[in-house]
């Protein structure tokens, strides 16, 4: 009931990729009270998605459910590009909480606004006490690559353990990255994942 009263009308798009229209709602039209703040994703605020606007979600699924809009003023359509994917990975890396997840939904997959945005959720606030989505616990089989230094991997979900076919794209660190737990190669991950 709460959700149905607050949700904006669904986009009338009949395709997954559609141009943005000037008269439709976009997040630059959000009320000032919905603006939580801005996150500098790239040092110096330079580059695609370098400043990401954080907005209160007027139809939250759980406490802490926010919208993250990279380069809000550019009014980019709701299409997942390599730059958006990389911005999302950088946003995740900035979080101090391991239960923070970003969710993307395209037009024709219940996106109600054709202006690029991520949904930010804290899984512990969604009733997932272990801080993981159920799909994250499903057994996988590697079909290409490996999660080792300098490599990217594609794994299929074991179908007998999940409701639909699916895959996971993971990356090892860049070759030669020092440290006991070096960070994943985000650029390689974004480059492959947005094309899949």
């Amino acid at each position: 009931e709460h959700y149905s009263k607050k949700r904006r009308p669904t986009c009338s798009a009949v395709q997954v990729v559609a141009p943005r229209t000037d008269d439709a709602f976009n997040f630059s039209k959000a009320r000032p009270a919905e603006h939580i703040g801005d996150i500098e994703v790239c040092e110096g605020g330079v580059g695609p998605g370098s400043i990401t606007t954080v907005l209160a979600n007027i139809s939250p699924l759980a406490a802490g459910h926010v919208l993250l809009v990279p380069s809000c003023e550019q009014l980019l359509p709701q299409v997942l590009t390599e730059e958006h994917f990389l911005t999302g990975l950088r946003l995740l890396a900035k979080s101090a909480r391991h239960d923070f997840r970003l969710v993307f939904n395209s037009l024709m997959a219940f996106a109600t606004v054709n202006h690029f945005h991520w949904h930010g959720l804290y899984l512990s606030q969604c009733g997932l006490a272990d801080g993981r989505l159920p799909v994250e616990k499903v057994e996988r089989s590697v079909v290409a690559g490996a999660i080792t230094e300098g490599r990217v991997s594609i794994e299929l979900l074991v179908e007998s353990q999940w409701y639909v076919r699916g895959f996971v794209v993971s990356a090892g660190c860049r070759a030669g990255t020092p440290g006991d737990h070096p960070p994943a190669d985000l650029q390689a991950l974004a480059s492959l994942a947005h094309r899949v």
Side-chain angles (χ1 to χ4, degrees):
E1 182 181 322
H2 166 81
Y3 183 69
S4 64
K5 287 181 181 177
K6 289 192 168 187
R7 187 175 175 123
R8 290 184 177 100
T10 302
C11 253
S12 59
V14 293
Q15 55 192 29
V16 174
V17 178
R20 200 189 50 74
T21 56
D22 290 333
D23 59 332
F25 177 83
N26 65 67
F27 295 114
S28 70
K29 297 177 184 180
R31 296 176 313 203
E34 295 175 38
H35 187 266
I36 296 171
D38 296 309
I39 299 172
E40 186 175 338
V41 179
C42 298
E43 219 172 289
V46 178
S50 59
I51 302 295
T52 295
T53 300
V54 183
L55 299 171
N57 189 334
I58 65 164
S59 301
L61 299 177
H65 181 184
V66 296
L67 300 175
L68 297 116
V69 188
S71 305
C72 185
E73 71 289 344
Q74 291 183 18
L75 307 177
L76 301 168
Q78 185 70 352
V79 177
L80 188 59
T81 65
E82 181 175 349
E83 291 80 20
H84 288 136
F85 199 93
L86 187 56
T87 297
L89 292 172
R90 288 179 175 148
L91 284 166
L92 288 168
K94 284 187 167 286
S95 178
R97 291 185 49 175
H98 296 290
D99 69 329
F100 182 66
R101 298 293 185 276
L102 291 179
V103 178
F104 170 79
N105 60 333
S106 65
L107 300 179
M108 299 188 70
F110 302 107
T112 58
V113 179
N114 188 14
H115 183 182
F116 188 83
H117 62 286
W118 294 101
H119 291 264
L121 295 163
Y122 293 97
L123 298 183
S124 62
Q125 297 296 320
C126 299
L128 300 169
D130 65 353
R132 295 172 63 197
L133 292 166
V135 71
E136 293 178 72
K137 303 173 202 173
V138 175
E139 188 179 334
R140 308 168 189 166
S141 61
V142 176
V143 293
I147 309 171
T148 57
E149 185 178 36
R151 304 284 309 274
V152 177
S153 170
I154 298 178
E155 302 167 282
L156 289 179
L157 302 179
V158 174
E159 289 185 39
S160 63
Q161 295 184 4
W162 197 243
Y163 307 104
V164 295
R165 290 181 177 173
F167 62 92
V168 175
V169 181
S170 304
C173 64
R174 287 187 183 174
T177 304
D180 292 334
H181 300 286
D185 184 349
L186 300 183
Q187 185 67 50
L189 183 58
S191 178
L192 176 65
H194 96 279
R195 290 181 282 154
V196 176

